Every structure is written in C-alpha cells, then in structure tokens.
Amino acid sequence: MKYIKLFFSMLKNNWVLKGAAIIFAVLIWSYVMSETNPYYSVTIKDIPIRIENASTIEQNGYAIIGGIEGLDTTVDITVEVRRSDYQKVTEDNIMPVIDLSVISGTGTYQVPVSVTTQYGNVEAIIEPYVEVNIDEKISRTIPVTYELSGGDSDSYYYGEPTLDSDTIVISGARVDIEKAEQGIVTINLDDVTSDINKSMPVDVYDSEGNILDNVYIKDTFPSVVVNMEVLPKKSVYINAMDSISGTELLADGYEVKGVTVTPSQVEIAGPQDILDTIDEAYLETIYINRTDKDFTVSASVKEIDGVKIVKNGDVTVVVHIGKIES
C-alpha cells in the first residue's frame, strides 16, 4: 500500500510521468479497439427504394393510383457495423427493395421493404412498409391543344402551330384518368430562330386546371409532334403615291396633294438575306375617278417575292386632292 501511494504521489507531482501515463492509456485503448473491433450503429436517411415487378400490375389490368411517382420511395435505415467498416457505409451499399408482384387486385396494400447491406447487419427500417393504392386500369381519349410561351415577337414571326394529332389516348388508374379534361403542349419560343418540327411533351390537366402527373399515353408519357414556321421579320413603310393611277381624270385644275396610309407600315417575314434588300412596300393600284375632293379607299399591299406579309396587309388610304397652285 505504501508503494502505491508513493507512485500516485510521484504521478501527481511529476509532469513527465503524467504525460507518459496518458500516452500509455491511449496505446492501451487503441490496442483494445483494434483487437475487439466493436459494433456501431449508423443511420442513412432518404435511401431510394428499388421497385421490382411494377409491370405485372398493368399486365394484370390494374394501375397504381397516383402512379409510381406518387409512392413514398425513400427510406431511412439503421445498420449495425464493425468499427472498421463504419466509414464505408453509404446509401450506395444499402439496397432497399419492394416487390409489387404481391399485388393481386384493387385496394390498399402495405408492401414490406426488404433490405440487404454490403456491410454489417440491418438494425432498423424506419417506415418498413410502402403504401400502394391500386385501381382498375382504363384508357380514354382526350383533346389536345397548345399554349405559347416566351419568344421575341418583335424580331420573329411565329406561324400557327400544327399538331400531328388533336387527341391523345391516356391510360392509368380509373380514379386518375376520369379526372383528365384535356392535354396541353406548351411551346416555349425562347431562343427559337428557325422552324419547329419535333416531338413535345403533353401535360394533362383536370377541369380545375391542375396538372395530372400520373397518366400515360399508350404506356408512355404523352407527347405530340409540333410543326411551326418561324421566320425573321421587319416592318417597312408603305409607298402609296406610286400606286395611284388615273390622275388625268381629276377635275380640271386639281391634283393629288398627297396620301395618308393607315397603318403606315406593313410587317413582312422571310429569310434574313431577302429582308435586308427590302426598304418599302407598295399597294395594289388605286384608281382615281373624276373628283375635286379628298376620298378614302381600302387597299391591299402587293405581294413581295420571297417573303410573306404577316401584319397590316390591308390598309386605309386617304387621297388628298387640291387645286393646282399657279
């Protein structure tokens, strides 16, 4: 007992011994840990669940209400692993699975989550079941239209879009399909500078304007082919004076003083290299009858080779008549 007291008295008053004791303790702890390799628990959150045999549901004439996208397909899992594997555990080596082949009809199913792990053992599955609601699978035809968004209407002409079909056949769970009202393809014109000819997705809406994400067309996501003409455009002034004919029929002593065209400009669209060569547009011939007063006529802009008139092709022209000044 005397020697033990002497040892602790020396340890209390000698910093070298204190340091040596700490180092010795750490060495002993490290040795014990390396030899025993104890278990630790680690929880990985929001691990994606792999879904197996989903196709068998539709093959049997049923569908998931809300679609697979509507299922809760992540899970938190606690794994018990040795200390040496603790840092290795990630969601990439934990594999939760649900098997939908257990579904045999309509109703609500609590499908169990089974888990395998590359390291350690599964200690706990938080929310070990996925609720799956099943209804009869049906198909239905609904109309399709389009909406435009974005674009540069000051610089480009956008023709009327055409769709390769004005209907689509959708399929899915009866309770979902019966809500569907129409399909809408949104044509985004931002950064579009040439003709459109491609397949675009169709969003399916209910009667209240809500998108239904859980319907399909012929077992794929809905889409239609959109064709749309897109051309550069510009505005040019209309030259009306050169379109007037029959000034010799004016009353004696009168002449055309000028014209007022409303609107004064016409929009044209076409290839940029052709647009660059056009500075003005002309009207179809305006014939003058014998008169000594201003008169108003409707006139059309003449067609221009290589471009199309897209706005203000018909105008109102006021021809101003006045006495010839001597």
Side-chain angles (χ1 to χ4, degrees):
M1 188 70 178
K2 176 181 178 182
Y3 294 107
I4 294 174
K5 289 182 178 180
L6 177 62
F7 172 76
F8 279 106
S9 175
M10 292 173 62
L11 183 63
K12 182 177 180 181
N13 296 292
N14 191 315
W15 286 101
V16 173
L17 286 177
K18 285 182 180 181
I22 292 172
I23 294 172
F24 183 69
V26 170
L27 290 173
I28 292 176
W29 179 84
S30 299
Y31 172 78
V32 171
M33 294 300 288
S34 64
E35 289 298 314
T36 61
N37 197 15
Y39 281 101
Y40 286 87
S41 293
V42 55
T43 299
I44 306 296
K45 295 182 177 294
D46 299 324
I47 304 173
I49 300 173
R50 191 176 74 216
I51 300 174
E52 294 184 343
N53 297 312
S55 61
T56 61
I57 297 176
E58 293 193 359
Q59 290 170 3
N60 293 328
Y62 304 106
I64 299 172
I65 298 174
I68 288 181
E69 295 77 10
L71 299 180
D72 185 1
T73 53
T74 62
V75 66
D76 300 344
I77 297 173
T78 299
V79 177
E80 184 184 53
V81 293
R82 293 284 189 181
R83 174 181 173 273
S84 57
D85 292 330
Y86 185 85
Q87 298 295 332
K88 300 176 183 177
V89 179
T90 69
E91 69 172 42
D92 295 328
N93 46 56
I94 301 176
M95 291 149 283
V97 176
I98 59 171
D99 184 356
L100 299 186
S101 65
V102 299
I103 292 172
S104 58
T106 62
T108 298
Y109 293 79
Q110 299 295 329
V111 181
V113 179
S114 61
V115 182
T116 57
T117 176
Q118 185 175 347
Y119 299 102
N121 304 300
V122 177
E123 187 174 62
I125 305 172
I126 293 82
E127 302 293 340
Y129 295 91
V130 174
E131 183 174 284
V132 182
N133 295 294
I134 302 297
D135 198 358
E136 176 190 3
K137 179 183 176 181
I138 65 169
S139 297
R140 181 178 167 208
T141 300
I142 61 172
V144 178
T145 185
Y146 65 84
E147 290 181 351
L148 303 179
S149 69
D152 181 3
S153 58
D154 292 331
S155 303
Y156 288 91
Y157 160 76
Y158 303 108
E160 187 74 15
T162 60
L163 311 181
D164 69 336
S165 176
D166 58 3
T167 62
I168 55 173
V169 179
I170 58 175
S171 63
R174 175 181 291 277
V175 68
D176 294 326
I177 296 301
E178 288 180 344
K179 296 176 185 176
E181 187 76 13
Q182 67 172 339
I184 298 177
V185 53
T186 300
I187 305 172
N188 187 342
L189 297 174
D190 288 336
D191 301 321
V192 175
T193 59
S194 59
D195 292 352
I196 296 173
N197 180 16
K198 65 178 181 179
S199 178
M200 292 187 176
V202 177
D203 291 321
V204 179
Y205 287 80
D206 64 18
S207 59
E208 297 179 353
N210 302 309
I211 294 180
L212 303 176
D213 293 324
N214 46 0
V215 296
Y216 304 90
I217 173 173
K218 298 177 182 177
D219 301 318
T220 62
F221 288 103
S223 64
V224 293
V225 176
V226 177
N227 286 281
M228 184 176 182
E229 186 177 36
V230 179
L231 294 168
K233 74 174 185 178
K234 68 185 288 188
S235 293
V236 295
Y237 282 99
I238 298 170
N239 181 337
M241 282 296 292
D242 291 349
S243 302
I244 295 175
S245 178
T247 54
E248 69 278 4
L249 298 178
L250 286 171
D252 292 341
Y254 286 82
E255 65 179 354
V256 176
K257 294 292 188 180
V259 294
T260 301
V261 182
T262 306
S264 61
Q265 292 182 307
V266 62
E267 281 189 5
I268 56 175
Q272 191 63 55
D273 58 339
I274 297 179
L275 290 181
D276 291 341
T277 67
I278 301 171
D279 297 320
E280 60 183 1
Y282 299 91
L283 297 175
E284 298 290 349
T285 302
I286 299 172
Y287 295 98
I288 295 178
N289 293 319
R290 189 171 183 82
T291 182
D292 58 3
K293 296 179 180 179
D294 294 354
F295 65 93
T296 302
V297 296
S298 296
S300 298
V301 177
K302 279 186 175 181
E303 291 186 3
I304 305 172
D305 290 341
V307 300
K308 61 170 53 184
I309 297 167
V310 296
K311 187 177 179 181
N312 301 336
D314 295 313
V315 298
T316 299
V317 180
V318 178
V319 181
H320 303 285
I321 306 299
K323 288 184 177 182
I324 299 173
E325 297 178 2
S326 56

